[in-house]
Amino acid sequence: MSPADLLDLDASLTEEERAIRTVVRQLVDDLVRPHVAGWYEAGQVPARELAREFGKLGLLGMHLTGYGCAGSTAVAYGLACLELEAGDSGVRSLVSVQGSLAMYAIWRYGSEEQKQLWLPAMAAGEAIGAFGLTEPDHGSDPASMVTRARRDGDDWVLDGSKMWITNAPIAQVAVVWARTDSGVRGFVVPMDTPGVTAREITRKMSLRASLTGEISLDEVRLPADAQLPDATGLKAPLSCLTEARYGIVWGALGAARDCLETALAYATTRTQFGRPLAGFQLTQAKLADMAVEWNKGCLLALQLGRLADGGKLRPEQVSVGKLNNVREALAIARQCRTILGANGVSGDYPVMRHANNLESVLTYEGTSEIHQLVVGQRLTGVSAFT
Ligand SMILES: Cc1cc2nc3c(=O)[nH]c(=O)nc-3n(C[C@H](O)[C@H](O)[C@H](O)COP(=O)(O)OP(=O)(O)OC[C@H]3O[C@@H](n4cnc5c(N)ncnc54)[C@H](O)[C@@H]3O)c2cc1C
């Protein structure tokens, strides 16, 4: 898988998995790499156009089956996430939120009518989806959410606010989680429903090539069939997050790979004290340690992928992967930045952009601390946070 595949991991991929990876890498080379530095600087991204291109390739809801979805293996989906995030974490977020959060929620918990209505359009990238769990005052602790859905006759009426919602400013549909008299429930909310507004969150210093917003719900009246019939309790949104976190386990490796390849190329061409940076033992130690961590991260992602494909992946195993791979990817990005010296802080190179992006990746879909607590609970049998 490169840098420089120290463990021969490529050999453990099937021909089909390698072929999918090649196609996605080419797509990123063509559609993302030439433009992403500019998108990042401007804080804008042509997400709708990208979604349609990704849809044509079957990348949206890629690991789901039916309804226009590609039905790929978990490993192939992971490799696609890696290649997308080698372009930019924001671009991978677009695909993850669409496929693993919004589409997965409908695919797993929706009625046949909801699936028919939304999934084919979302798989094609014609409808963009968002997933609203986090609130202004409730992030790591979604069980305390205050967004409420109450019955009024057959209808539901939603009130509340969802914060930091990826894709919200351009979404046609959001899966919104709300408290009801019978616990947390999910709702499929068309974004043009009266009372729904999406405000873009600007001034982000991270994930700038991704659109993030606040969704306000003010007396939003929805028909009875807007509820996801099979989603009962908080375990439903948490299961969607497990899906998306799995993609992050792979995706973070993509950002780290791009940093490592950039630093390797830089170290071999930049000369100081009459020799390339790569000739200094301290530089080689950095490169070696980073490559070791990167390859270990791939091994971990591959193990989780094979478990997922065997139907045996457990949520706390995904926590192990998200915790380790994002933490190590961020450490790699920062270390690569040092190898590039002053150029490391320049937008002419991708390293600082990746490092900044990975700060968001460290926080969303469960912070590192929350994943430590999940693993801690598994080890000790004691929950430190519920
Ligand atoms: C760019 C971006 C995009 C996002 N997209 C989405 C999206 O599409 N949909 C969505 O629903 N959400 C989204 N989020 C929100 C994200 O999931 C939350 O930010 C995350 O869950 C953390 O919540 P918080 O920011 O409220 O932090 P808090 O929960 O307030 O946590 C702050 C700090 O306290 C720590 N902490 C909290 N509780 C504990 C504890 N019990 N023990 C130890 N430490 C603790 C945390 O680990 C963290 O370090 C996005 C966030 C970002 C930055």
Side-chain angles (χ1 to χ4, degrees), residues 131 133-134 139-140 164-166 207 360 363-365 367 369 373:
F131 182 90
L133 181 64
T134 304
S140 300
W164 293 107
I165 307 305
T166 302
L207 229 66
S360 285
T363 286
Y364 69 21
E365 313 266 353
T367 64
E369 292 80 6
L373 295 180

Side-chain angles (χ1 to χ4, degrees), residues 94-305:
L94 168 68
V95 172
S96 288
V97 169
Q98 177 85 350
S100 289
L101 289 179
M103 289 176 72
Y104 178 79
I106 296 170
W107 181 85
R108 170 73 181 76
Y109 298 110
S111 65
E112 191 52 37
E113 292 71 29
Q114 289 166 338
K115 293 178 195 180
Q116 296 286 357
L117 180 63
W118 288 109
L119 293 180
M122 293 171 87
E126 281 154 18
I128 306 272
F131 182 90
L133 181 64
T134 304
E135 299 184 351
D137 296 326
H138 307 282
S140 300
D141 179 19
S144 300
M145 72 172 68
V146 293
T147 296
R148 210 174 154 73
R150 65 181 160 80
R151 280 279 194 194
D152 185 23
D154 280 348
D155 292 347
W156 287 100
V157 179
L158 269 64
D159 277 291
S161 172
K162 295 291 176 181
M163 193 68 177
W164 293 107
I165 307 305
T166 302
N167 295 347
I170 52 156
Q172 277 79 40
V173 61
V175 172
V176 171
W177 301 93
R179 177 175 302 289
T180 71
D181 286 342
S182 53
V184 170
R185 292 286 185 275
F187 296 87
V188 181
V189 182
M191 293 295 281
D192 59 2
T193 310
V196 179
T197 47
R199 173 185 70 85
E200 185 172 351
I201 296 174
T202 53
R203 308 190 70 193
K204 279 182 301 169
M205 298 295 153
S206 169
L207 229 66
R208 290 179 56 77
S210 168
L211 298 165
T212 317
E214 175 178 12
I215 300 177
S216 299
L217 304 146
D218 181 17
E219 291 275 311
V220 175
R221 183 170 289 274
L222 297 169
D225 63 7
Q227 191 199 332
L228 290 172
D230 295 332
T232 52
L234 201 59
K235 64 180 188 304
L238 295 185
S239 74
C240 302
L241 290 172
T242 298
E243 289 290 306
R245 284 168 189 152
Y246 168 77
I248 293 174
V249 172
W250 288 88
L253 293 167
R257 186 190 72 196
D258 202 42
C259 292
L260 254 171
E261 288 179 348
T262 304
L264 265 168
Y266 192 87
T268 48
T269 50
R270 168 86 173 169
T271 301
Q272 290 292 293
F273 300 98
R275 68 165 87 162
L277 301 179
F280 298 120
Q281 290 181 354
L282 289 175
T283 308
Q284 286 199 11
K286 288 179 185 177
L287 291 168
D289 285 350
M290 290 190 288
V292 167
E293 282 309 326
W294 194 86
N295 280 275
K296 279 157 63 180
C298 284
L299 206 50
L300 172 50
L302 200 53
Q303 166 68 359
L304 297 189

